[in-house]
Structures are given as C-alpha cells and as structure tokens.
Amino acid sequence: MAGRIKGPFEGRRRWKSKEPKREPLAGARVVTMAAVLRALILLMFGILVIQLINLQVIHGSTYKEQSAINAIREVPIPAARGLIYDRNGRPVVENTARFSVTITPSDLPEAGATAVYADISDVIKMPVSEIKAAVEQSIKDQGEYSPALIKTDLDRDTALVLMELEPHAPGMKVQVDPARRYLTGDLLSHVLGYVGPISAEQYADLNDEGYGYSDYVGQTGVESTYETKLRGKSGAKLVEVDAAGRELRTMSERPPVDGANVVLSIDLDLQQQVTNILKQYSQTSENAAAAVMDIHTGEILADVSLPSYDANLFSGKLSQKQLEDLINATGKPLVDHAISEQYPPGSTFKAIVGSAALQEGIAGPTTTITSRGYITIENEFDPNVVYVYPDWAPLGALDFYGGVAMSSDVYFYYLAGGFADDGFRGLGQEKIAEYARAFGLGAPTGIDIPGEVSGLVPDSKWKQDTIGEPWVLGDTYNYGIGQGYVSATPMQMLDAAAAIGNGGKLITPHVVKQYRDSMGNIYDPVATQVRSQLPVEPGYLQIMRDAMRQSVTSGVARNAASGAVTVAGKTGTAEFGEQHSDGTYETHGWFVGFAPAEDPQIAVMVFVQHGSGGNDASPAAAQIFNYYFGHETPVRPDEATPVPEPTDEPQETPFVIPTPLGGDFVPNPAPITTETPILATPEVTSAPEPSPAPTAEPPPETPPPEPVPGPLAQRLFRPLEGPL
Amino acid sequence: MIGINSRAVRHSDPILVVTACALVAFGVLLIYSASLSNYPGVSAGHPLVKQIAFASMGLIAMVAVAWTDYRVYGHTATGLYIIAVMMLVGVLFVGDSAYGSTRWFNFAGQQVQASEIAKILVIIALARYLADRHNKMDDPRVFLISLAMTAVPACLVLVEPDMGTALVFFAVWLGMVAMAGTPMKYIMVLLGTIVACMPFAALILLNDYQLERFKLWINPNQEPLGGGFNIIQAKIGIGSGGLFGKGLTHGSQTQLDFLQTSTTDYIFTVLGEELGLLGAIVLFALFTALLFRGIRAATLSRDQFGRLIATGIVIMILFQVFINVAVNIQLVPVTGIPLPFISQGGSSLIMMFIALGLLEGIVLRHKRLEFQ
C-alpha cells in the first residue's frame, strides 16, 4: 500500500469544509425581493438627501439668515413721562411703577408647571392652588397664549425677587406698568387731569404715532393737552430671545427720549388758599369756581373748581361703579366748572354793556338816569298790557359810575334797549351781541386744558333759528343785565375783566408757563397770546375801571374790598332755574375784578353756584386779594419766582491792573466779590396793614342791601302792580 | 428547539447590534443637546439618562428574544394579534393624550405607546398567516384577508389619530405580501385603485385636524405663529445647518427652544441644524447598514415565517425613518412618528430592540449553515 488518503479528521484539527462558505440558496423570488428592497432603501434615502441638499446647501444661507432673525426681537424701551411742576418748581406729579406678576400658560414647561407655581408661591404669598386656578381661568378666558395676571400692585422688593427668578421659571414674567401719582391729591385735579389706558377710538387715531394697544394716554387736563410733549419718545433694544420670549442678551440699544417736564403757571400755595377760601363761601352750592390770572400775560395762577376729585383714583384700578359714582355725584366733580359749564353772567355782564355804551356814544361818564325801582313798557298791540322791568331797589339818580357801582338794572335797561318814553336810545341786541363777542364771549378762550365750552351770545337771528320766535325788547333789557339767553363760562368772564383791566387786550389764558429739563433749566416759555384788541378806546376802559373801583369803595361790591390792596370789580347775582312760589329765584353769585385798581396786575374771578355776588362771591375775592397781596410784596406775579439772579454789576470796586507808569493807580484794590444774592426771596416789605382778616374796608353803617333783582321772566298779560 | 449551542453564537450578526448601538449613541448626543435648555445639568430625571436606561433594558430584551426561538411566537400568533387589537382599542378609551393624539397607556408613571407594541405583534401575526399559505398566494382571498388583518389595527391607529403609523402598517403589509409571493398584478391593481380614490378617501376619512395638517404642509405660512410654526421652524433649523451644521449644542433654533418636541418628532431637525448635511448622511448610512443586515437576515432565514418577519421589520424601520425625516424637511404633512433608536421614548426603543432580537434570532437559526 503506497500513501493513505488523508481522511477528514486527520490530526486534531476540527473538520472544516474546504468548500467556500456560500449563502444558502434562497429562491429566485427572495433574491429579487431582496434586491428590490435594497434599491428601495437607497432610493428613499436618496430622496431625503436631495431634499436636504435643497434645504441645506441651495437655500442654506437663506435659512441661516432666518434662524438669526427668528431669535432676535425688537423690544421697546418706554420713555419716562415728563414731570409737572408748579411755577415755583415744586413737583406735583410723580412717576411710579406698578408691578404685576403674570404667567403665560403656553410657555410653561410641560411637566414643570407646578414647579413654577411653587417657586413663586412663597414669594408672592399666594397658595399654589390659587395660582393654578388663576392660570386655568385665564386659559378659559383668553386662551393659553395670553399672559394670566396672577397678582398686581406688588411692592418693589417682591418684584425684584421675581425678576431674578424669571430665567428659572419659564412662563412667569414680571410686568411693569407706568403709573402716575398725583402728589397734590384733589387740589389740582382739573388742571392736571389724569393718565389712563388708551381707548379704542384713541388707539385708532394714535396707532401710527407709535402708541401700542395697551398704552397710556393723558385723558384730560394738562396731561392730555401736552400729551405729545410729556410722552417723550420710546427707545428700543435688539435682544436675543428664546421661544418663550425670555430675553437673553441685548445686542444693541436706542435709548428713549424722556418726556419734557412741564412747568405750570399755577402757584401751589395760592391754589390751596383759593380752594380753602372758595370752600368757605360755597357751602350751600352744588359747585363753585374761582381763578386768578396774570392780567398781562394770561398766566393762570390759580384755577379751582369745586367739588374736586382725587386724580390718583384713576391711577389704580377704578371699578365701573366707582366711575359712575364720580360722574353722577352732586356737583359733578369731574367737570371743571370754570371752563366746562356756562351760566348766566348776571350783572358782571354790565361791564361789557357799559363799555359798549361808552364806545358807541350811547352814554358818557355823566349820563344821568334815574331809577325809580322799575320801568314799564306797553305791549305794542295792546297798551293795556304793561310789562314791568324792575331794579333791585329804587336807587335814584345815577351817573355812569353810579350805574355801574350800584349795579342798577334800570340804568342798564336804558343802555341796552333804550327807553322810548325818555327818548333814550339804547345799544340794541345786535350791538350788544357784537361787543359781547368782541369781549370773548360765545367762543372758547383757548385755554390749554380740554373741555371748554363756548357759552352763548344770543341775537335776534339766533332766537329765530333756535327758538322760533322773534326778538322782543324785553329780551334786550334782560340782555343788558346779563340774564335771558346769554350765558358764559367763569373763565370767559375772567378773561373779559382782565381785558378791561389791562387796557384792552383779550389774552388767551394758559396754565402752562414753560418747560424745564432734568437739570432744572428753563426753556420754551409759553408766549403771551393776545387774541384780539377790545374795540373800546382806552379812555373809556379807564372810565369803566374807575366805575368798577367805585363799586368796591362805595358800591355793591363793597365786600370785595381788601386791606392789602385797592380792588376794582363787578359783582353779579344771576337768577336761574324755576321761579319759587314767592316770586324769587335761586341765584348764582359772581365776582370779577382786578387789583391794584390803579395799575392792575392780577384779575380774579369767583363763581358760586348758589349764592349772591355781594355776600358770597365778593368776600371770597377779598380774601384772595388779601392773601395774594398780603403775604408778599405786590410785585408782578412772574417776578415772584425765587430764581437766583446775579446782579448785572458787581457791588464792589473792580480790580484794576495797576499801570506801572502813571495812570490810575488803585492802591490796595478791594478783593473782587461778586455778591450774588442767592435765592433772592423777596422780603415782605411793609404792606399796608397786613391784616389777613376778611373784613371789608371801612365797614359801612349798614351793610349794602342784598341786590336781589326781581323776577325777570317776561310777564305777559300781567297788569301793573302797585309801586314797588 | 429553545436552546442555542455555543457554535451558533458565531453566526449571530454583530453588525446589527453594533449599528443599533451606534444609532442609540447618536440619539443620546442629540437628546442631550436638545434638552440642554431645559435641563442644564444631568441628573436622574434627565432624558439622556432615561434613554440610556431604556436602551439597556432594550438590549436585555433583545438578547432574551434572540435566545428564544422565534417559532414559538408563530404558535401564539393569533393570540398576539388579538392582544394587539385589544391594546389599540383600549388606548383609545383609557389612554393619555398629547399634542392632539391619544396613543399612550400610563403604566406606573411611564408612558407606553400602544402602537409601537402592536406593530411588532401584527408583523408576527401577518407573517404566520402568510407563511402558512405560502403555496396559496395566488388566491385573492389570501391577499384580501391579509389586507383586512392589517387594516383593522391600521384604522384603529388612524383614529388616535396617528396617520404616520397607519401608513407604516400599510407599507409593511405591502412589503410582506410582495415577499410572500403575491402575484404582482394584485398589487398593481390595489395601488392603482388607491391612487384613484385618494382624493375622495382623504376627504372622507381624514378628520378636520388631519386636513388642517395637510393644508399647512402645502403652505405653512398660512399660520406662521400657529400650526405652521413648527414646520417653518424645522425648515429654518435644518436649512440653517448647512453642510457641516452649527456644532453640537450650538444650534440657535434648538437651544432657544424654537422647536417643539425637539427630543422626539423633531429630533432630526436638531441633527440637521447642529450636524448639517454630513451628520444626516452619517445617520442614513447607519440606517442603511442596519436595514441591509435586516435584508440579509431575510435572505438567510430558514423558513418563510422568519423571512416574512424580517421583511416586515425592515420595511417598518425604513418607513418610520423616512416619514419622520420627511416631516422634518417638509416632504410630507406633519405626523408625529418617532425616529427609531434616536427619538426619546421608552416604548419605541425597547420595541425596536425586540425587533432586532427577532432579526438576530432569525439569523442565529438559519440551520443550513449547521453541518453537524
């Protein structure tokens, strides 16, 4: 036997097939299917890759840009609202912040909502269950993308703690709303107005000027008129935010421009005094108003309307009921009665009629008319029907000064409508209306707070159009004494009186004097605006002024006399409302006047809704004059501001460089001292009898009879009664 | 039949396991990045930790399933099918909802997605059914009954609503009947009918919510801050990634929370933004490798049953990946479907590993290589 065949188990090697391993023969179908599947896989991934190339390569840069934009927000930085000061630089408002905490449900982490509630629960001292309930209620009310208000009016420390917590509590945000605090309470509410949330109509108008949906706008008063200047301009910052809107990084910033600070012409102390005085004399009235104006510039030094309201009510949450109560309260506290209500001016109107009569030559200073207490005229169709127009007393023979000073109704019936029996020609309604308008009635004065009404200057055309009846002589008589259809706002009467006082310039009153920057520097003073010149010669105005002076010294305005200064003025007691059973009416009390009589500086107006001109309005005015002229030297109002004013020339000898050769040699020159008087508080120089006591000047033996005019309504078919 | 002798371990497919673990690791990185803004530090509750925990459980399950002879499942196929249907019905009534869909059971605090389990069970049941009739595949009844078998769970899933998974069911069925030997013409006729009826079917079957989704897919700018927001954000996120991405944890859309469900449905966007086109291609390569190994398992399988299971699993994974990515890149209307092995989610991860276990089991038992 030559060589053995090596068997499969030769040696200790484990048998291994020498055939190459091959995949088990799968059926043809399976092979095809496998190939199809492989191809399908490659195809499907291929499609995906193609789309990816489309997105990432072809349009990659576009998306890159978008991903950057996505994460960047422009966040507005609100500007601080301008402050408001009185004329002496005392602040009357303050900007504060109102802190609230909100939770936006959609930003809450899916499983971590309770953790967020727990985090803030301790800080705001509200149980987690309450927070949860508030969030759920908000989701029902306004969906889950709107922030739910959890708690408001948080104090500053709490708010700061919450702000620190914000990055760790997604969905929670501290909301800061601007709030205005009126430091003067209800003292300046009508002048200042208040700031409130923007209404739908306002938003429609102001949207393009950058006002947001939940912005604040001055609603009335100075806050409203000067809104644009007070608001400033908000800035903006570019921040990187995450999808929950959380600010991560500020990239750039455009700082806001804070609002301009407004300086009022109002003197806070005077305003307080006038308020107190007016309150004393208006206790039976539903409302009252008083104002003090600088006669040469139109600056309003005090503007009081009673009843008033605390403007801070509008800074907080005001319920509908509270608002309604305010609106409907007696006396309408929200209304500035000095400008927004019109009343029959009564005898104060005689100042206008008298001036007109002088100018038109109807009367002169010596024109004498005798008042027997009434005049009568006959009905033009039936002489048996006689109308009686009464005076408040049989005053006897009066010249022009007397007519004004004693406020004789009969005198002014003559001036207004004439008296045929005496052959006296009157002005006539057309002329009266013309002069009334020239004195500023029938149109707003243009004062820079909103809500002014125009009053009414009637004439025959007006009566025909509005009432549908022809004008009669009786209307003219009533016109002449400021009753009937004519009505004016207290501010209009003040303006008219001021025009008489300053020599004929009808000046637009204003409550804002100038602006002030954050350093205290003054700029942009409001210029005096002369609306028009009275169509009355200065000479005649002087006569009227003298007549008004006489009214105070010896006439019906005696109670307006002041111990501190010479006053000239005109009272009015205007009837209104329903006639009582005894024939009397309720009356408004008026006083307009100016002081000092020989060189007027300020004009004062007092109006009480229920009272008399002589007994209520006049003494109130006297007290105002007392305070104004008594507590400081009678200087021009604008000089009363304690502003350091360096004198133009130094008081000491100036240092002269000694000339070496001859010339003026000043040995031992005095050291230079520029004695700049700091805070030149005007000392109270000896005022004539500084008696703040509200006593009238030489009290007459008998107080002047109460000038209550008789009933004015035209009495048709009422036979003449016996002599009054 | 149950045990394996040591020689069989040689024939296991390590590439399958390695690829899957690579995918899981990939996913863990992405989950970490996506959760960075909400979980700055890694702690016990961190999604990353949960994912690794579930992956570990998955690996154990995979080994257990691979160890078990898959033919055991075949014997209990009917029972498994019934369980699947019951689960899908049950979840509609007692399940938890999220993002408008009721898909999850709540077991002791853990969310278990019913459809993930049902998919595997239905594959097994379908495979058993078709394998038993492997020489009767010409019979149209087989075709239709198998369709009905798939349609029941698919419709239940559609009602949840979960359009994506329903689509996966359909694709799986199609692949399995094709592999099982259905004549091509049946398939063609069916596909033709579907294409023809699609518009009508869409109008009738889809509820408002899904129609909305469809409209938004066509034009997400209709609602840039509402429903279209996610689509737009995903596009921006992926697109801005460019070729190489912005770098892990440096994607602005991801880190600034502009992506919703960034650890699940939109995790591909995280990948696209932070790892760019290159990262996406790497992902696809890994999946391709995984799926090719699955196809290999199908070709190696000793019996039709195993073959069909493998086919079903391959198609299931393929279509899930495709649909998930396609949603992210706006190729397909939005539907929430997890990205296998990558998306965060316990049920998905464990079921995927179980599926791999089945594949391994099939590979391990291709007896023809045994020459003892």
Side-chain angles (χ1 to χ4, degrees):
Chain A
M1 259 146 15
R4 241 173 7 133
I5 299 173
K6 276 218 160 80
F9 285 101
E10 200 76 58
R12 282 207 280 267
R13 250 181 2 168
R14 220 167 53 182
W15 182 88
K16 233 180 178 170
S17 159
K18 291 215 170 58
E19 307 254 0
K21 270 205 175 66
R22 63 179 202 283
E23 295 282 11
L25 259 180
R29 169 175 207 100
V30 177
V31 171
T32 334
M33 277 307 299
V36 166
L37 271 177
R38 291 195 187 99
L40 185 65
I41 290 171
L42 293 174
L43 176 68
M44 287 171 80
F45 282 130
I47 294 175
L48 295 178
V49 169
I50 290 175
Q51 173 69 344
L52 278 174
I53 292 178
N54 180 26
L55 287 181
Q56 293 180 308
V57 178
I58 297 178
H59 293 115
S61 46
T62 321
Y63 288 116
K64 224 183 167 111
E65 229 177 78
Q66 286 194 16
S67 77
I69 292 174
N70 232 355
I72 295 178
R73 290 277 137 76
E74 190 177 295
V75 176
I77 307 177
R81 196 174 172 83
L83 296 172
I84 305 180
Y85 301 88
D86 90 327
R87 70 183 298 122
N88 297 322
R90 284 146 71 176
V92 295
V93 300
E94 196 176 67
N95 287 330
T96 60
R98 254 173 100 217
F99 298 105
S100 329
V101 59
T102 65
I103 290 182
T104 309
S106 60
D107 290 339
L108 286 168
E110 288 162 37
T114 334
V116 173
Y117 302 156
D119 281 341
I120 67 174
S121 167
D122 282 334
V123 183
I124 64 175
K125 311 271 184 299
M126 197 190 252
V128 171
S129 51
E130 245 183 79
I131 300 175
K132 191 161 189 279
V135 172
E136 279 162 13
Q137 183 62 40
S138 170
I139 296 179
K140 275 194 223 140
D141 293 336
Q142 38 172 357
E144 59 171 30
Y145 292 99
S146 301
L149 183 64
I150 305 297
K151 195 169 180 197
T152 189
D153 284 326
L154 303 167
D155 65 77
R156 199 145 186 277
D157 291 330
T158 314
L160 284 173
V161 171
L162 284 171
M163 282 192 217
E164 302 246 314
L165 217 51
E166 264 183 28
H168 305 284
M172 185 270 287
K173 257 219 171 90
V174 174
Q175 194 171 293
V176 184
D177 290 313
R180 199 77 147 153
R181 203 156 76 85
Y182 296 97
L183 303 169
T184 50
D186 64 357
L187 186 62
L188 273 175
S189 297
H190 295 107
V191 170
L192 291 177
Y194 57 87
V195 173
I198 195 169
S199 73
E201 300 90 38
Q202 289 168 323
Y203 179 67
D205 290 332
L206 298 172
N207 184 21
D208 4 321
E209 288 168 44
Y211 282 80
Y213 196 65
S214 50
D215 227 320
Y216 289 85
V217 169
Q219 298 292 337
T220 178
V222 164
E223 297 273 26
S224 169
T225 317
Y226 292 88
E227 165 71 19
T228 319
K229 284 215 115 94
L230 286 169
R231 178 181 166 77
K233 215 166 142 65
S234 55
K237 56 181 174 175
L238 277 179
V239 278
E240 191 178 40
V241 295
D242 69 9
R246 285 177 285 187
E247 296 177 17
L248 301 164
R249 186 167 68 96
T250 304
M251 297 170 59
S252 72
E253 206 172 289
R254 186 181 74 229
V257 177
D258 288 341
N261 301 322
V262 162
V263 180
L264 300 173
S265 54
I266 305 274
D267 180 324
L268 215 49
D269 291 327
L270 182 63
Q271 178 87 0
Q272 182 66 67
Q273 292 294 328
V274 172
T275 307
N276 294 344
I277 294 167
L278 191 61
K279 276 195 185 139
Q280 266 184 288
Y281 285 92
S282 60
Q283 293 188 0
T284 56
S285 301
E286 276 180 18
N287 56 61
V292 178
M293 180 201 280
D294 177 332
I295 235 177
H296 299 288
T297 63
E299 284 175 18
I300 300 289
L301 306 171
D303 174 13
V304 177
S305 172
L306 296 176
S308 183
Y309 65 98
D310 188 347
N312 285 311
L313 282 173
F314 289 90
S315 282
K317 241 177 176 277
L318 195 66
S319 73
Q320 189 64 23
K321 175 158 192 319
Q322 280 175 303
L323 182 62
E324 279 171 8
D325 286 345
L326 262 183
I327 293 176
N328 298 330
T330 342
K332 295 189 257 179
L334 292 180
V335 170
D336 184 343
H337 296 279
I339 60 172
S340 303
E341 296 263 51
Q342 51 201 48
Y343 308 95
S347 301
T348 53
F349 193 68
K350 290 173 184 165
I352 297 176
V353 175
S355 307
L358 291 172
Q359 179 69 24
E360 293 290 315
I362 302 288
T366 53
T367 307
T368 309
I369 298 169
T370 309
S371 166
R372 293 191 180 80
Y374 61 90
I375 60 170
T376 59
I377 54 173
E378 294 161 356
N379 180 297
E380 56 179 316
F381 300 113
D382 181 0
N384 291 324
V385 175
V386 168
Y387 307 112
V388 180
Y389 291 89
D391 206 333
W392 60 272
L395 297 166
L398 301 164
D399 64 0
F400 184 83
Y401 299 100
V404 172
M406 297 310 288
S407 195
S408 162
D409 294 332
V410 166
Y411 200 97
F412 279 85
Y413 293 150
Y414 273 64
L415 292 187
F419 195 55
D421 290 4
D422 283 359
F424 193 97
R425 188 177 68 91
L427 284 165
Q429 48 90 14
E430 209 179 300
K431 274 289 171 208
I432 298 177
E434 187 187 304
Y435 276 85
R437 292 192 190 105
F439 273 73
L441 269 60
T445 62
I447 192 173
D448 51 358
I449 45 184
E452 202 178 11
V453 297
S454 313
L456 177 66
V457 171
D459 56 16
S460 59
K461 181 171 183 311
W462 171 87
K463 188 178 181 193
Q464 189 63 54
D465 290 342
T466 315
I467 305 201
E469 286 169 12
W471 189 275
V472 294
L473 181 59
D475 292 329
T476 311
Y477 285 155
N478 285 328
Y479 210 169
I481 62 171
Q483 300 272 186
Y485 304 111
V486 61
S487 70
T489 68
M491 187 58 66
Q492 282 170 330
M493 293 316 296
L494 176 63
D495 212 15
I500 296 175
N502 69 28
K505 293 197 279 273
L506 198 61
I507 303 181
T508 306
H510 51 102
V511 293
V512 166
K513 185 177 154 78
Q514 59 208 6
Y515 297 88
R516 182 186 143 122
D517 68 15
S518 48
M519 314 281 203
N521 300 320
I522 306 293
Y523 64 97
D524 270 359
V526 174
T528 305
Q529 196 192 345
V530 177
R531 268 192 342 279
S532 60
Q533 196 73 24
L534 293 181
V536 180
E537 279 170 47
Y540 294 135
L541 289 177
Q542 181 63 56
I543 294 173
M544 177 51 77
R545 282 200 292 275
D546 292 338
M548 287 165 83
R549 173 69 185 139
Q550 191 172 314
S551 191
V552 175
T553 51
S554 56
V556 295
R558 237 172 286 203
N559 283 338
S562 159
V565 72
T566 52
V567 176
K570 186 79 199 72
T571 57
T573 306
E575 294 180 347
F576 71 95
E578 298 297 313
Q579 187 175 11
H580 297 154
S581 49
D582 63 356
T584 56
Y585 284 83
E586 297 299 322
T587 58
H588 302 312
W590 288 89
F591 175 87
V592 286
F594 36 82
E598 57 279 358
D599 179 21
Q601 303 301 320
I602 61 161
V604 168
M605 167 279 293
V606 177
F607 168 84
V608 291
Q609 182 258 0
H610 183 263
S612 91
N615 288 341
D616 297 306
S618 298
Q623 290 217 43
I624 295 174
F625 286 119
N626 283 338
Y627 174 76
Y628 188 86
F629 290 100
H631 98 293
E632 58 173 308
T633 45
V635 294
R636 271 180 208 264
D638 60 353
E639 283 176 4
T641 320
V643 167
E645 242 152 40
T647 50
D648 284 331
E649 291 158 308
Q651 309 287 34
E652 311 296 326
T653 331
F655 181 72
V656 177
I657 298 171
T659 46
L661 295 167
D664 290 327
F665 183 67
V666 183
N668 298 329
I672 305 167
T673 42
T674 35
E675 204 114 87
T676 317
I678 306 168
L679 270 183
T681 26
E683 332 122 278
V684 181
T685 54
S686 50
E689 299 150 303
S691 53
T695 44
E697 238 193 351
E701 308 76 18
T702 48
E706 206 162 289
V708 178
L712 294 170
Q714 295 180 37
R715 286 178 263 171
L716 297 172
F717 307 112
R718 190 181 147 174
L720 170 68
E721 295 197 13
L724 287 163
Chain B
M1 290 283 237
I2 301 292
I4 306 176
N5 61 32
S6 60
R7 221 173 320 192
V9 178
R10 281 189 292 165
H11 302 301
S12 69
D13 190 342
I15 298 182
L16 208 57
V17 183
V18 166
T19 324
C21 289
L23 283 169
V24 171
F26 207 153
V28 160
L29 279 178
L30 293 174
I31 291 174
Y32 171 72
S33 172
S35 359
L36 204 53
S37 53
N38 287 329
Y39 296 88
V42 181
S43 61
H46 198 285
L48 185 154
V49 169
K50 288 202 284 193
Q51 187 79 342
I52 293 177
F54 280 121
S56 317
M57 292 191 334
L59 280 167
I60 295 172
M62 180 184 84
V63 169
V65 167
W67 195 285
T68 322
D69 193 331
Y70 62 89
R71 285 169 291 187
V72 165
Y73 305 130
H75 295 154
T76 53
T78 337
L80 294 175
Y81 181 77
I82 292 175
I83 292 177
V85 171
M86 274 177 23
M87 283 186 87
L88 288 178
V89 169
V91 82
L92 290 176
F93 290 105
V94 303
D96 284 352
S97 311
Y99 301 110
S101 198
T102 318
R103 307 179 187 181
W104 295 269
F105 284 118
N106 201 321
F107 276 142
Q110 289 300 4
Q111 301 286 74
V112 175
Q113 196 168 353
S115 51
E116 292 297 305
I117 303 177
K119 273 184 295 198
I120 305 286
L121 298 178
V122 168
I123 287 177
I124 295 174
L126 208 52
R128 175 81 262 152
Y129 176 80
L130 290 171
D132 285 348
R133 289 157 190 75
H134 66 97
N135 47 5
K136 284 189 243 156
M137 289 314 294
D138 287 348
D139 189 347
R141 279 180 305 171
V142 172
F143 183 70
L144 292 170
I145 292 178
S146 63
L147 175 57
M149 274 180 74
T150 323
V152 167
C155 288
L156 287 171
V157 156
L158 197 62
V159 169
E160 279 179 0
D162 187 348
M163 205 157 52
T165 308
L167 220 63
V168 167
F169 268 107
F170 180 73
V172 160
W173 167 79
L174 202 56
M176 286 173 77
V177 292
M179 176 64 95
T182 309
M184 263 304 132
K185 50 182 192 231
Y186 289 5
I187 296 180
M188 287 302 150
V189 166
L190 180 71
L191 286 179
T193 329
I194 288 175
V195 169
C197 294
M198 211 148 60
F200 305 103
L203 283 172
I204 298 170
L205 290 177
L206 297 179
N207 59 27
D208 290 330
Y209 173 72
Q210 284 157 333
L211 274 173
E212 250 325 285
R213 283 254 176 109
F214 198 78
K215 281 192 244 167
L216 280 175
W217 170 57
I218 309 277
N219 181 13
N221 281 307
Q222 264 182 339
E223 272 186 56
L225 289 178
F229 185 72
N230 288 330
I231 304 175
I232 297 175
Q233 292 305 326
K235 242 198 328 186
I236 293 177
I238 295 179
S240 62
L243 263 183
F244 298 104
K246 297 179 187 166
L248 203 61
T249 74
H250 289 118
S252 53
Q253 306 306 99
T254 311
Q255 298 309 329
L256 297 180
D257 283 343
F258 280 98
L259 304 175
Q260 197 189 35
T261 65
S262 54
T263 55
T264 54
D265 300 343
Y266 283 96
I267 197 157
F268 183 79
T269 306
V270 177
L271 192 159
E273 188 186 20
E274 301 196 339
L275 301 175
L277 183 61
L278 227 53
I281 289 179
V282 167
L283 184 82
F284 295 157
L286 283 172
F287 272 119
T288 310
L290 185 76
L291 290 171
F292 273 33
R293 298 313 283 184
I295 294 175
R296 174 175 175 271
T299 54
L300 283 181
S301 175
R302 68 191 292 175
D303 58 6
Q304 186 73 329
F305 182 49
R307 186 164 307 126
L308 289 175
I309 291 180
T311 311
I313 289 175
V314 166
I315 303 235
M316 176 187 83
I317 296 179
L318 171 65
F319 272 80
Q320 261 192 245
V321 172
F322 183 79
I323 292 176
N324 178 291
V325 174
V327 163
N328 274 245
I329 58 182
Q330 217 196 336
L331 275 183
V332 147
V334 172
T335 175
I337 198 170
L339 189 57
F341 299 105
I342 309 277
S343 280
Q344 185 200 359
S347 7
S348 169
L349 204 51
I350 292 181
M351 291 319 290
M352 282 296 156
F353 272 111
I354 289 177
L356 287 192
L358 284 170
L359 288 177
E360 282 285 359
I362 293 167
V363 168
L364 280 171
R365 285 173 184 77
H366 59 278
K367 211 164 181 194
R368 292 180 223 167
L369 285 181
E370 304 277 342
F371 273 81
Q372 311 329 46

